[in-house]
Amino acid sequence: SIKQRLYGSNPTFIPAVMDKMSDTLGTVNPSVLFSSIITSFNEKQLALLSSRPNIQQMLDGLYWSGKTISPKCLSTTVRCINDYFFSVDQDLSSREGSSYVQKSESKTVRFLDTSTLESTVRISWKNESPLPVDQGGNYQLYTQVLLPPNSNVSQVTKNNVLVEEVDSLSGQYNILGVYLEVAPQQTTELAITYTMPAMLRETTNYQLITQKQLGSFTSNISFDLMLPEGYVLGSTNIDAVVNNERISYNGILNTDKLFFVQIKRKK
């Protein structure tokens, strides 16, 4: 409805958008338009699907179809730890609550020993809607968090209070579902702690894939990886701060991301 007010009072949203586009397309530089469309695909504001398998395979390879990714190791010759994290929200509010909500995501990884890692995922929703407002108000959502299939969830909390009503589904991913509410001018934080096998060797690649929800706003994201004692950092694709064998990254989740870290045993 916010977009509809920008494009006019036409109650039929799509025709109103098409009319606005037809009025402006003639004045747009084609190269700028093409670049903007590509950016929209990469940032998950547009998606493409095809009934032809070969074309669909190409779209999946570009991550333009909005499908969940099946994590695969980049190398078949080096031991690999495949980690995964995807947060999907369903807005249940009857008003425009989501337009006032700022979302942040973080993930902290530490090794309990050379065979097990522990990870904590934190997702927070800050409701910035003013208290006396017809739109916005209380934000209600059902969120699902997709984790690796071999993850073992030990704790789920909301604002540091244990959550007992959690929906769960196992399969290609370990999926957790939780209903949440965020009051105006308040922040709600969901934290999930899980363990998974690590099996460190002389050289081990750690890979984390995190995805952006199709059509969602961008969100803040942070990633921290604490190396175990006796190990050092090798190559990485992360533009991060490395301090005392700890890797820290802060950025914006505006597209799907792959974090790659090579962990080596000290010689």
Side-chain angles (χ1 to χ4, degrees), residues 225 227 231-236 238 240-242 245-247 260-264 266:
L225 174 66
L227 300 181
Y231 287 83
V232 295
L233 174 68
S235 59
T236 177
I238 308 172
V241 177
V242 180
E245 300 176 346
R246 175 172 179 169
I247 303 169
F260 174 87
V261 178
Q262 187 180 70
I263 303 171
K264 293 185 175 182
K266 286 183 179 179

PDB file of all heavy atoms in Angstrom, residues 225 227 231-236 238 240-242 245-247 260-264 266:
ATOM      1  N   LEU A 225      34.147 -15.909  13.917  1.00  0.00           N
ATOM      2  CA  LEU A 225      34.686 -17.259  13.975  1.00  0.00           C
ATOM      3  C   LEU A 225      35.921 -17.256  14.857  1.00  0.00           C
ATOM      4  O   LEU A 225      36.879 -16.526  14.585  1.00  0.00           O
ATOM      5  CB  LEU A 225      35.043 -17.768  12.575  1.00  0.00           C
ATOM      6  CG  LEU A 225      35.748 -19.123  12.507  1.00  0.00           C
ATOM      7  CD1 LEU A 225      34.824 -20.239  12.973  1.00  0.00           C
ATOM      8  CD2 LEU A 225      36.238 -19.407  11.090  1.00  0.00           C
ATOM      9  N   LEU A 227      38.995 -19.323  16.154  1.00  0.00           N
ATOM     10  CA  LEU A 227      39.788 -20.500  15.819  1.00  0.00           C
ATOM     11  C   LEU A 227      40.171 -21.249  17.096  1.00  0.00           C
ATOM     12  O   LEU A 227      40.416 -20.647  18.137  1.00  0.00           O
ATOM     13  CB  LEU A 227      41.042 -20.096  15.058  1.00  0.00           C
ATOM     14  CG  LEU A 227      40.838 -19.354  13.732  1.00  0.00           C
ATOM     15  CD1 LEU A 227      42.190 -19.062  13.098  1.00  0.00           C
ATOM     16  CD2 LEU A 227      39.960 -20.148  12.785  1.00  0.00           C
ATOM     17  N   TYR A 231      45.582 -23.700  16.083  1.00  0.00           N
ATOM     18  CA  TYR A 231      45.262 -23.534  14.666  1.00  0.00           C
ATOM     19  C   TYR A 231      45.384 -22.074  14.277  1.00  0.00           C
ATOM     20  O   TYR A 231      45.201 -21.167  15.111  1.00  0.00           O
ATOM     21  CB  TYR A 231      43.852 -24.047  14.362  1.00  0.00           C
ATOM     22  CG  TYR A 231      43.742 -25.558  14.375  1.00  0.00           C
ATOM     23  CD1 TYR A 231      43.564 -26.240  15.574  1.00  0.00           C
ATOM     24  CD2 TYR A 231      43.833 -26.293  13.204  1.00  0.00           C
ATOM     25  CE1 TYR A 231      43.479 -27.622  15.607  1.00  0.00           C
ATOM     26  CE2 TYR A 231      43.743 -27.678  13.221  1.00  0.00           C
ATOM     27  CZ  TYR A 231      43.563 -28.330  14.421  1.00  0.00           C
ATOM     28  OH  TYR A 231      43.486 -29.702  14.437  1.00  0.00           O
ATOM     29  N   VAL A 232      45.683 -21.846  12.998  1.00  0.00           N
ATOM     30  CA  VAL A 232      45.836 -20.489  12.484  1.00  0.00           C
ATOM     31  C   VAL A 232      45.005 -20.330  11.223  1.00  0.00           C
ATOM     32  O   VAL A 232      44.539 -21.318  10.627  1.00  0.00           O
ATOM     33  CB  VAL A 232      47.318 -20.165  12.178  1.00  0.00           C
ATOM     34  CG1 VAL A 232      48.136 -20.159  13.444  1.00  0.00           C
ATOM     35  CG2 VAL A 232      47.874 -21.160  11.151  1.00  0.00           C
ATOM     36  N   LEU A 233      44.847 -19.086  10.834  1.00  0.00           N
ATOM     37  CA  LEU A 233      44.059 -18.757   9.657  1.00  0.00           C
ATOM     38  C   LEU A 233      44.887 -18.911   8.390  1.00  0.00           C
ATOM     39  O   LEU A 233      46.030 -18.464   8.311  1.00  0.00           O
ATOM     40  CB  LEU A 233      43.552 -17.310   9.763  1.00  0.00           C
ATOM     41  CG  LEU A 233      42.830 -16.735   8.554  1.00  0.00           C
ATOM     42  CD1 LEU A 233      41.488 -17.434   8.359  1.00  0.00           C
ATOM     43  CD2 LEU A 233      42.613 -15.239   8.728  1.00  0.00           C
ATOM     44  N   GLY A 234      44.292 -19.587   7.390  1.00  0.00           N
ATOM     45  CA  GLY A 234      44.890 -19.647   6.063  1.00  0.00           C
ATOM     46  C   GLY A 234      44.221 -18.626   5.164  1.00  0.00           C
ATOM     47  O   GLY A 234      44.012 -17.478   5.545  1.00  0.00           O
ATOM     48  N   SER A 235      43.837 -19.015   3.978  1.00  0.00           N
ATOM     49  CA  SER A 235      43.184 -18.100   3.055  1.00  0.00           C
ATOM     50  C   SER A 235      41.717 -17.911   3.449  1.00  0.00           C
ATOM     51  O   SER A 235      41.114 -18.757   4.125  1.00  0.00           O
ATOM     52  CB  SER A 235      43.276 -18.634   1.621  1.00  0.00           C
ATOM     53  OG  SER A 235      42.664 -19.914   1.527  1.00  0.00           O
ATOM     54  N   THR A 236      41.145 -16.797   3.037  1.00  0.00           N
ATOM     55  CA  THR A 236      39.743 -16.498   3.306  1.00  0.00           C
ATOM     56  C   THR A 236      39.215 -15.547   2.247  1.00  0.00           C
ATOM     57  O   THR A 236      39.992 -14.791   1.641  1.00  0.00           O
ATOM     58  CB  THR A 236      39.566 -15.870   4.705  1.00  0.00           C
ATOM     59  OG1 THR A 236      38.195 -15.525   4.911  1.00  0.00           O
ATOM     60  CG2 THR A 236      40.419 -14.612   4.860  1.00  0.00           C
ATOM     61  N   ILE A 238      36.825 -13.381   3.098  1.00  0.00           N
ATOM     62  CA  ILE A 238      36.112 -12.410   3.915  1.00  0.00           C
ATOM     63  C   ILE A 238      36.975 -11.175   4.120  1.00  0.00           C
ATOM     64  O   ILE A 238      38.128 -11.286   4.545  1.00  0.00           O
ATOM     65  CB  ILE A 238      35.735 -13.002   5.289  1.00  0.00           C
ATOM     66  CG1 ILE A 238      35.010 -14.343   5.116  1.00  0.00           C
ATOM     67  CG2 ILE A 238      34.862 -12.031   6.067  1.00  0.00           C
ATOM     68  CD1 ILE A 238      34.789 -15.067   6.430  1.00  0.00           C
ATOM     69  N   ALA A 240      37.546  -9.099   6.507  1.00  0.00           N
ATOM     70  CA  ALA A 240      37.220  -9.086   7.927  1.00  0.00           C
ATOM     71  C   ALA A 240      38.411  -8.664   8.760  1.00  0.00           C
ATOM     72  O   ALA A 240      39.545  -8.574   8.281  1.00  0.00           O
ATOM     73  CB  ALA A 240      36.747 -10.477   8.368  1.00  0.00           C
ATOM     74  N   VAL A 241      38.125  -8.426  10.032  1.00  0.00           N
ATOM     75  CA  VAL A 241      39.159  -8.099  11.011  1.00  0.00           C
ATOM     76  C   VAL A 241      39.632  -9.393  11.660  1.00  0.00           C
ATOM     77  O   VAL A 241      38.817 -10.193  12.130  1.00  0.00           O
ATOM     78  CB  VAL A 241      38.628  -7.136  12.081  1.00  0.00           C
ATOM     79  CG1 VAL A 241      39.695  -6.873  13.144  1.00  0.00           C
ATOM     80  CG2 VAL A 241      38.171  -5.829  11.440  1.00  0.00           C
ATOM     81  N   VAL A 242      40.938  -9.623  11.676  1.00  0.00           N
ATOM     82  CA  VAL A 242      41.509 -10.813  12.295  1.00  0.00           C
ATOM     83  C   VAL A 242      42.334 -10.357  13.496  1.00  0.00           C
ATOM     84  O   VAL A 242      43.265  -9.564  13.359  1.00  0.00           O
ATOM     85  CB  VAL A 242      42.391 -11.603  11.312  1.00  0.00           C
ATOM     86  CG1 VAL A 242      42.975 -12.842  11.985  1.00  0.00           C
ATOM     87  CG2 VAL A 242      41.583 -11.983  10.078  1.00  0.00           C
ATOM     88  N   GLU A 245      43.536 -14.725  16.492  1.00  0.00           N
ATOM     89  CA  GLU A 245      42.919 -15.937  15.932  1.00  0.00           C
ATOM     90  C   GLU A 245      41.394 -15.885  15.974  1.00  0.00           C
ATOM     91  O   GLU A 245      40.718 -16.901  16.102  1.00  0.00           O
ATOM     92  CB  GLU A 245      43.437 -17.182  16.662  1.00  0.00           C
ATOM     93  CG  GLU A 245      44.946 -17.349  16.537  1.00  0.00           C
ATOM     94  CD  GLU A 245      45.469 -18.527  17.326  1.00  0.00           C
ATOM     95  OE1 GLU A 245      44.723 -19.048  18.160  1.00  0.00           O
ATOM     96  OE2 GLU A 245      46.630 -18.899  17.112  1.00  0.00           O
ATOM     97  N   ARG A 246      40.861 -14.683  15.837  1.00  0.00           N
ATOM     98  CA  ARG A 246      39.414 -14.499  15.753  1.00  0.00           C
ATOM     99  C   ARG A 246      39.100 -13.657  14.524  1.00  0.00           C
ATOM    100  O   ARG A 246      39.740 -12.635  14.277  1.00  0.00           O
ATOM    101  CB  ARG A 246      38.877 -13.807  17.003  1.00  0.00           C
ATOM    102  CG  ARG A 246      37.391 -13.484  16.937  1.00  0.00           C
ATOM    103  CD  ARG A 246      36.879 -12.976  18.268  1.00  0.00           C
ATOM    104  NE  ARG A 246      35.465 -12.651  18.191  1.00  0.00           N
ATOM    105  CZ  ARG A 246      34.711 -12.393  19.259  1.00  0.00           C
ATOM    106  NH1 ARG A 246      35.245 -12.417  20.475  1.00  0.00           N
ATOM    107  NH2 ARG A 246      33.427 -12.109  19.122  1.00  0.00           N
ATOM    108  N   ILE A 247      38.109 -14.102  13.748  1.00  0.00           N
ATOM    109  CA  ILE A 247      37.708 -13.404  12.534  1.00  0.00           C
ATOM    110  C   ILE A 247      36.368 -12.733  12.788  1.00  0.00           C
ATOM    111  O   ILE A 247      35.410 -13.384  13.237  1.00  0.00           O
ATOM    112  CB  ILE A 247      37.582 -14.385  11.355  1.00  0.00           C
ATOM    113  CG1 ILE A 247      38.898 -15.124  11.148  1.00  0.00           C
ATOM    114  CG2 ILE A 247      37.170 -13.661  10.087  1.00  0.00           C
ATOM    115  CD1 ILE A 247      38.776 -16.284  10.186  1.00  0.00           C
ATOM    116  N   PHE A 260      34.139 -18.137   3.359  1.00  0.00           N
ATOM    117  CA  PHE A 260      35.097 -19.235   3.250  1.00  0.00           C
ATOM    118  C   PHE A 260      36.309 -18.929   4.111  1.00  0.00           C
ATOM    119  O   PHE A 260      36.899 -17.849   4.008  1.00  0.00           O
ATOM    120  CB  PHE A 260      35.523 -19.433   1.788  1.00  0.00           C
ATOM    121  CG  PHE A 260      36.621 -20.440   1.596  1.00  0.00           C
ATOM    122  CD1 PHE A 260      36.330 -21.790   1.455  1.00  0.00           C
ATOM    123  CD2 PHE A 260      37.953 -20.043   1.574  1.00  0.00           C
ATOM    124  CE1 PHE A 260      37.343 -22.721   1.282  1.00  0.00           C
ATOM    125  CE2 PHE A 260      38.973 -20.956   1.406  1.00  0.00           C
ATOM    126  CZ  PHE A 260      38.670 -22.303   1.269  1.00  0.00           C
ATOM    127  N   VAL A 261      36.679 -19.878   4.978  1.00  0.00           N
ATOM    128  CA  VAL A 261      37.843 -19.715   5.854  1.00  0.00           C
ATOM    129  C   VAL A 261      38.646 -21.013   5.830  1.00  0.00           C
ATOM    130  O   VAL A 261      38.096 -22.093   6.043  1.00  0.00           O
ATOM    131  CB  VAL A 261      37.431 -19.398   7.301  1.00  0.00           C
ATOM    132  CG1 VAL A 261      38.667 -19.273   8.193  1.00  0.00           C
ATOM    133  CG2 VAL A 261      36.609 -18.117   7.356  1.00  0.00           C
ATOM    134  N   GLN A 262      39.926 -20.906   5.581  1.00  0.00           N
ATOM    135  CA  GLN A 262      40.823 -22.072   5.636  1.00  0.00           C
ATOM    136  C   GLN A 262      41.510 -22.096   7.009  1.00  0.00           C
ATOM    137  O   GLN A 262      42.119 -21.101   7.415  1.00  0.00           O
ATOM    138  CB  GLN A 262      41.854 -22.006   4.524  1.00  0.00           C
ATOM    139  CG  GLN A 262      42.706 -23.251   4.398  1.00  0.00           C
ATOM    140  CD  GLN A 262      43.717 -23.136   3.270  1.00  0.00           C
ATOM    141  OE1 GLN A 262      44.671 -22.371   3.375  1.00  0.00           O
ATOM    142  NE2 GLN A 262      43.521 -23.899   2.193  1.00  0.00           N
ATOM    143  N   ILE A 263      41.389 -23.218   7.706  1.00  0.00           N
ATOM    144  CA  ILE A 263      41.955 -23.368   9.038  1.00  0.00           C
ATOM    145  C   ILE A 263      43.114 -24.358   8.951  1.00  0.00           C
ATOM    146  O   ILE A 263      42.957 -25.461   8.429  1.00  0.00           O
ATOM    147  CB  ILE A 263      40.891 -23.864  10.029  1.00  0.00           C
ATOM    148  CG1 ILE A 263      39.704 -22.898  10.056  1.00  0.00           C
ATOM    149  CG2 ILE A 263      41.475 -24.030  11.417  1.00  0.00           C
ATOM    150  CD1 ILE A 263      38.507 -23.417  10.840  1.00  0.00           C
ATOM    151  N   LYS A 264      44.284 -23.945   9.474  1.00  0.00           N
ATOM    152  CA  LYS A 264      45.465 -24.795   9.411  1.00  0.00           C
ATOM    153  C   LYS A 264      46.020 -25.058  10.808  1.00  0.00           C
ATOM    154  O   LYS A 264      45.994 -24.177  11.665  1.00  0.00           O
ATOM    155  CB  LYS A 264      46.555 -24.143   8.541  1.00  0.00           C
ATOM    156  CG  LYS A 264      46.203 -24.044   7.066  1.00  0.00           C
ATOM    157  CD  LYS A 264      47.375 -23.496   6.266  1.00  0.00           C
ATOM    158  CE  LYS A 264      47.087 -23.498   4.785  1.00  0.00           C
ATOM    159  NZ  LYS A 264      48.250 -23.018   3.997  1.00  0.00           N
ATOM    160  N   LYS A 266      48.902 -25.351  13.498  1.00  0.00           N
ATOM    161  CA  LYS A 266      50.200 -24.714  13.680  1.00  0.00           C
ATOM    162  C   LYS A 266      51.313 -25.744  13.548  1.00  0.00           C
ATOM    163  O   LYS A 266      51.198 -26.868  14.019  1.00  0.00           O
ATOM    164  CB  LYS A 266      50.289 -24.052  15.056  1.00  0.00           C
ATOM    165  CG  LYS A 266      49.472 -22.767  15.182  1.00  0.00           C
ATOM    166  CD  LYS A 266      49.701 -22.157  16.557  1.00  0.00           C
ATOM    167  CE  LYS A 266      48.922 -20.872  16.712  1.00  0.00           C
ATOM    168  NZ  LYS A 266      49.104 -20.272  18.058  1.00  0.00           N
TER     169      LYS A 266
END
